[in-house]
Amino acid sequence: EGLPESKCRCSCLSRDAAMNLILLSDEEEEALAEEGSGSLLLPPEDRRARHIVTVLRPEPGATVRLGLIGGGIGRARVAILEGGAVRLEPLPEAPRLRSAPPGPEPPRIEVLLAMPRPKVMMRLWAVLAQLGVRRVVLINAYRVEKAYFSSQAVDRAKYLPELLDGLEQAVCTRLPEVRVEMRFKPFVEDTLDGLSPRGEVLRLLCHPGEDSQRIGEAVAGAARAASASAASPGERLPRPRGVLLAVGPEGGWVDFELQLLRSRGFKQVTMGPRVLTTETAVCSLVTLAADALAQLQQEEQQERRLPAADVADPEAKQGGDADTATSSRRPQAPEP
């Protein structure tokens, strides 16, 4: 039946948002890949068909970029039919989307978010998908209205189209995992370790305070701590492979929640003294965390590319003049 259409009437949301990737469901990919007669017909009322007809306006024989939700990315030939319907046909030489390579994998960012107001959360879904967030946990907190959990913002049928909008914009096929947790203490104490192991995921508590670090400092500090605890100079202990951001409600975490999160390994971070909305804070925090992880991965790649001679011969790092003077006193190995 195709992908779901949102019924949200919020003026801030648009079902005709930018679409840089045509996403298909499993059933649609099966129809497209059917041997001998594979094709997919998008009816005129389908928003993907509307986008192809009114925005892309392809020439005869042109191709468009397709993606399978949770799968790969490829291309298909497109034809506009009478009445505004669109027919997609697979390219003979192209692999199926389920076996095609996916897009680039974003850094592993997870968000533990105290449930915001439903209208705010509906706007956040597409943003979180665009930014490549792996997991979103909406959690209850002392300053969260319980009625928020009965809203359309936590109804998968309502928020799924917003997630798909974000994926289409970012040319990505990986849907974030979504969890809704009504009990704060049991989740933090009993469930969190299984989802985000401490050795793999750096836990950051987003809350202003005198002892708070910047996100980049916290990520770099965790990497240095892993290197310092190595048993030998050449040993590399696992550095953080991801970041879990705990973002509180608009009124902030209460003392009990702060203490519990700190006791479970969360390090406090801040973006400064300015008071931000939930939308601005979440977007900024995720971006900063992703950038810090990308920087860490780049440094690790550079370390792996260091020549073996730099490790085996420390004198080679002393500089040009010193190296020349030292090499003149070093006995030369006999030629074979």
Side-chain angles (χ1 to χ4, degrees):
E1 299 182 1
L3 301 184
E5 296 275 355
S6 173
K7 302 300 182 184
C8 180
R9 293 293 181 261
C10 299
S11 60
C12 58
L13 300 176
S14 170
R15 303 310 315 148
D16 294 318
M19 188 183 299
N20 299 316
L21 178 71
I22 307 298
L23 282 174
L24 305 181
S25 64
D26 286 327
E27 294 77 10
E28 292 171 330
E29 196 272 345
E30 288 286 350
L32 183 66
E34 187 175 348
E35 188 174 354
S37 60
S39 67
L40 176 64
L41 182 66
L42 301 179
E45 62 273 14
D46 190 294
R47 66 188 184 89
R48 296 166 295 176
R50 292 197 305 266
H51 181 81
I52 293 172
V53 173
T54 61
V55 179
L56 299 183
R57 290 182 285 186
E59 298 291 335
T63 63
V64 293
R65 184 163 47 194
L66 302 179
L68 172 64
I69 298 174
I73 295 176
R75 302 193 73 86
R77 201 170 307 282
V78 60
I80 299 177
L81 306 179
E82 185 178 355
V86 171
R87 184 175 65 241
L88 301 174
E89 298 178 347
L91 300 178
E93 69 279 6
R96 288 188 59 172
L97 292 179
R98 63 178 66 255
S99 58
E105 186 173 340
R108 179 178 175 180
I109 305 294
E110 304 174 9
V111 177
L112 175 63
L113 178 62
M115 179 68 187
R117 287 175 296 140
K119 287 185 178 180
V120 173
M121 192 63 234
M122 287 300 293
R123 293 195 294 263
L124 271 174
W125 284 122
V127 175
L128 293 169
Q130 283 185 49
L131 294 174
V133 172
R134 297 283 189 91
R135 179 183 292 122
V136 181
V137 180
L138 296 178
I139 196 165
N140 196 8
Y142 182 79
R143 290 179 173 147
V144 170
E145 295 287 342
K146 306 304 181 286
Y148 292 172
F149 290 94
S150 302
S151 68
Q152 67 176 4
V154 294
D155 183 349
R156 180 175 171 83
K158 300 296 192 299
Y159 69 69
L160 179 58
E162 309 306 321
L163 292 177
L164 296 177
D165 271 355
L167 296 184
E168 291 166 344
Q169 169 65 38
V171 191
C172 179
T173 62
R174 181 198 294 268
L175 275 172
E177 177 189 344
V178 177
R179 296 177 63 101
V180 178
E181 299 289 344
M182 292 295 297
R183 303 177 65 196
F184 180 85
K185 187 172 183 288
F187 173 79
V188 174
E189 291 184 336
D190 304 329
T191 307
L192 184 58
D193 286 344
L195 291 177
S196 306
R198 296 196 202 188
E200 298 178 11
V201 179
L202 176 63
R203 300 176 176 182
L204 299 182
L205 171 59
C206 307
H207 190 77
E210 295 181 358
D211 298 332
S212 299
Q213 295 179 291
R214 300 290 181 173
I215 288 181
E217 295 172 353
V219 174
R224 288 194 299 269
S227 300
S229 60
S232 60
E235 181 184 2
R236 286 193 180 96
L237 290 184
R239 296 180 177 183
R241 298 302 172 193
V243 168
L244 170 62
L245 300 166
V247 184
E250 291 183 354
W253 302 108
V254 298
D255 289 341
F256 165 77
E257 294 162 346
L258 290 170
Q259 293 171 4
L260 182 60
L261 291 171
R262 291 190 189 110
S263 71
R264 307 304 294 185
F266 281 82
K267 300 182 182 301
Q268 195 162 317
V269 294
T270 182
M271 292 188 296
R274 301 186 72 88
V275 180
L276 306 176
T277 64
T278 300
E279 295 166 86
T280 303
V282 169
C283 182
S284 303
L285 290 164
V286 171
T287 302
L288 290 171
D291 183 70
L293 280 179
Q295 178 66 27
L296 183 61
Q297 293 170 359
Q298 184 178 9
E299 293 173 358
E300 289 182 342
Q301 292 173 358
Q302 291 174 351
E303 290 177 4
R304 296 191 192 100
R305 288 197 295 265
L306 284 176
D310 288 351
V311 179
D313 186 6
E315 291 182 353
K317 300 180 180 179
Q318 298 300 320
D321 294 338
D323 185 70
T324 303
T326 304
S327 62
S328 64
R329 296 190 299 270
R330 188 183 299 138
Q332 300 295 320
E335 295 183 1

